[in-house]
Amino acid sequence: MVDNEEVLDFSKKKKKSKALNLDEILDKETDEKPETKDQAVEDTDELDLSSLKKKKKKKKTAFPLDGQVDSTSIKENGEHSPEKNGREDLPKKTKTVKIVLDEISDSKDPDTAGDLDDLGLGKKKKKKKAVIADDSEKLEEPASGNEIVERGVQSWSGTDRDYMYDELLARVFDIMRQKNPDIVSGEKKRFVMKPPQCARVGTKKTSFVNFTEICQMLHRQPKHTLAFILAELGTSGSVDGNNQLIIKGRFQQKQLESVLRRYIKEYVTCHTCRSPDTILERDVRLHFLRCRVCQSRCSVATIKSGFQAVTGKRARIRAKAMS
Amino acid sequence: MSDEVLNLQGYDPFADASKGNDVGSQGTVIHIRIQQRNGRKTLTTVQGISDDYDKKKIVRACKKEFACNGTVVDHSEYGEVLQLQGDQRTNIAEFLTNVGLAKKDQVKIHGF
């Protein structure tokens, strides 16, 4: 994942923290998936898919700490309620996972195996895996069935009644989520940008270090971006040999960032679909923004610096004009 | 012939468009800009206020309200431009909308 501190989302700043959190969570999920596959199987009989990840984490931390206590309690559970098949499956699997995780419980397992040898404890790893596979098959059936009923997708199938509005709504949202997995997180695809880096050059000038880099990211001519920034800040400046922009005047990073954000809003993102994948083309003195996603084409405002008041020394200006 | 087509009479869809904005007669966008001077001093310029208004009176009101100095500068291209000392961008934008000189979307604030 990209560094939180370094990356700023220019298009939507308010949602930044939330979005980043989401990203983190997603990342964690993807990280965890491969190593905790066995546990995921165990959790399927809890049916609550949204909270699955959290539970997984909790259990994982709990395992090495009180593995032995757990094993005894589970053993009791299994003895007291042997008539419930599903209940019996659950403790068994937690135990198998435990064996994989820590070796202290491994030594204890033969005892429990003695009590419940039909559960397949204390056997070699090959067998364990086979047991897990069997259980997953058993457990997935009821889980998926319940899920469908819960969502109301097929609750009217086989009956004669009319569809309820809520059911249809749930159905259409399910389809939407299936077709575009991007929406599931509730976030649109965000436009992530590097923040402008700025450094002071002497006391009166500011250097915008990664100016050309940002221009490349935005697919804009540096000339155009430069014109906008200078017009907006009401100063003068130029790009120097190191591809950095030297602006006259003192500017902080957040100030440059707000200007850059305004530039992106006006000249980079598509006005119709807000996608940043656009081309700026010049046509009969006017600039047109052409979107590569929705193919819309609209004109953008020309860059004008407008009225500039005299701020320097008038005598110096006069002397310049004379010479 | 035209009497038969009743639908085309009576309602002009562009009536309210030609009437212009009900807020004043501000046709163009008012640009509010900031310029850096020496040190941490700044200068705010207001460009594009309609000719119907007396800029000097506006400046007089602004000077009193924001407790700053200001002038009117005549420019060949941009007309009469207000200049106010200091960063008065938000102040002047608020002032213009409150007084009813311009709508909120007619005021454009530039600068950082």
Side-chain angles (χ1 to χ4, degrees):
Chain A
M1 187 187 167
V2 236
D3 197 354
N4 293 354
E5 306 296 320
E6 290 294 313
V7 174
L8 285 162
D9 179 15
F10 279 111
S11 51
K12 293 173 199 162
K13 201 184 180 182
K14 282 171 191 168
K15 286 187 178 177
K16 192 177 83 180
S17 58
K18 198 185 168 188
L20 285 174
N21 282 338
L22 277 175
D23 278 352
E24 278 176 11
I25 291 164
L26 282 174
D27 264 27
K28 277 179 190 167
E29 282 173 14
T30 48
D31 285 345
E32 267 181 351
K33 264 174 193 167
E35 62 181 12
T36 58
K37 245 182 184 171
D38 297 0
Q39 294 180 354
V41 174
E42 146 208 328
D43 274 341
T44 44
D45 57 350
E46 283 169 359
L47 265 183
D48 193 359
L49 289 172
S50 59
S51 62
L52 188 141
K53 303 280 149 53
K54 278 182 189 172
K55 281 182 181 171
K56 218 197 298 173
K57 274 175 213 163
K58 275 180 196 166
K59 283 199 173 172
K60 200 183 164 190
T61 51
F63 275 137
L65 288 176
D66 49 10
Q68 300 175 359
V69 182
D70 256 356
S71 69
T72 53
S73 66
I74 287 161
K75 189 179 71 186
E76 282 170 13
N77 247 342
E79 283 172 349
H80 283 295
S81 59
E83 68 276 6
K84 282 184 188 173
N85 261 332
R87 197 77 185 107
E88 214 175 45
D89 282 345
L90 176 65
K92 180 174 66 181
K93 241 176 301 150
T94 49
K95 271 179 195 170
T96 52
V97 171
K98 214 181 297 156
I99 295 158
V100 178
L101 283 179
D102 51 356
E103 289 148 16
I104 308 160
S105 60
D106 218 353
S107 61
K108 272 241 168 185
D109 272 326
D111 306 353
T112 57
D115 291 335
L116 308 161
D117 30 2
D118 61 327
L119 291 179
L121 284 167
K123 289 172 187 174
K124 295 300 171 191
K125 283 201 174 177
K126 282 175 194 171
K127 288 236 170 173
K128 260 179 244 158
K129 271 179 188 171
V131 168
I132 287 168
D134 281 348
D135 287 342
S136 68
E137 279 171 15
K138 276 185 204 166
L139 287 170
E140 265 169 27
E141 273 179 304
S144 55
N146 280 339
E147 193 185 319
I148 285 167
V149 172
E150 208 173 60
R151 286 189 182 179
V153 172
Q154 291 172 344
S155 55
W156 61 78
S157 67
T159 60
D160 248 358
R161 67 194 178 85
D162 280 342
Y163 317 125
M164 299 290 283
Y165 174 74
D166 289 335
E167 288 168 0
L168 289 178
L169 199 66
R171 180 180 139 86
V172 86
F173 269 100
D174 276 353
I175 292 170
M176 269 163 59
R177 283 195 200 105
Q178 274 171 16
K179 302 272 162 147
N180 346 290
D182 298 350
I183 306 181
V184 174
S185 57
E187 279 285 310
K188 276 187 183 171
K189 200 179 164 192
R190 290 170 313 116
F191 182 44
V192 180
M193 270 272 320
K194 275 191 177 175
Q197 290 174 334
C198 74
R200 183 69 56 76
V201 180
T203 50
K204 284 186 173 177
K205 285 177 188 167
T206 312
S207 130
F208 185 161
V209 179
N210 53 359
F211 173 68
T212 39
E213 195 184 335
I214 281 175
C215 290
Q216 277 171 2
M217 284 175 74
L218 299 175
H219 307 290
R220 289 291 169 274
Q221 295 280 333
K223 215 174 92 186
H224 187 256
T225 320
L226 172 93
F228 179 84
I229 289 175
L230 294 184
E232 200 70 355
L233 295 174
T235 51
S236 54
S238 57
V239 180
D240 77 348
N242 302 331
N243 283 336
Q244 57 186 19
L245 172 62
I246 309 288
I247 315 166
K248 200 176 156 196
R250 294 179 196 175
F251 298 100
Q252 288 162 356
Q253 194 205 329
K254 62 177 181 187
Q255 294 173 329
L256 289 178
E257 196 187 300
S258 76
V259 172
L260 206 59
R261 184 172 277 130
R262 225 176 296 158
Y263 177 79
I264 290 167
K265 194 186 165 204
E266 175 72 31
Y267 296 99
V268 179
T269 53
C270 170
H271 294 219
T272 317
C273 69
R274 293 203 196 131
S275 121
D277 190 12
T278 54
I279 304 170
L280 193 68
E281 52 193 12
R282 198 183 158 98
D283 199 359
V284 237
R285 289 189 180 185
L286 290 173
H287 286 288
F288 285 94
L289 196 68
R290 193 156 57 84
C291 179
R292 288 205 279 191
V293 177
C294 67
Q295 306 299 329
S296 73
R297 191 164 178 270
C298 61
S299 65
V300 288
T302 49
I303 297 168
K304 269 189 197 165
S305 64
F307 172 76
Q308 291 296 316
V310 181
T311 50
K313 288 232 163 50
R314 285 165 200 269
R316 200 179 295 163
I317 295 165
R318 217 168 291 147
K320 235 181 210 172
M322 291 288 275
S323 61
Chain B
M1 182 65 189
S2 64
D3 294 339
E4 290 169 11
V5 188
L6 289 170
N7 271 348
L8 290 180
Q9 294 170 355
Y11 176 66
D12 179 13
F14 299 107
D16 46 2
S18 59
K19 211 178 3 178
N21 306 297
D22 44 353
V23 181
S25 61
Q26 183 63 42
T28 54
V29 180
I30 297 177
H31 296 275
I32 299 173
R33 292 195 175 81
I34 190 162
Q35 274 182 275
Q36 283 194 338
R37 289 177 58 222
N38 41 3
R40 48 180 296 173
K41 291 173 185 172
T42 47
L43 185 73
T44 311
T45 62
V46 184
Q47 170 205 320
I49 296 176
S50 162
D51 288 337
D52 303 349
Y53 300 104
D54 189 349
K55 310 287 181 325
K56 279 181 185 167
K57 281 193 174 171
I58 294 173
V59 159
R60 214 173 293 154
C62 287
K63 282 164 73 166
K64 202 158 201 175
E65 181 117 355
F66 314 145
C68 67
N69 206 353
T71 51
V72 181
V73 176
D74 210 352
H75 192 271
S76 56
E77 190 184 344
Y78 302 114
E80 287 180 307
V81 179
L82 310 189
Q83 278 186 15
L84 296 166
Q85 283 182 4
D87 184 359
Q88 313 288 350
R89 288 177 296 166
T90 46
N91 287 339
I92 188 79
E94 225 165 76
F95 176 83
L96 290 176
T97 48
N98 285 347
V99 156
L101 242 155
K103 279 192 212 160
K104 216 171 189 177
D105 53 343
Q106 285 177 326
V107 178
K108 191 155 192 234
I109 300 178
H110 297 267
F112 35 80

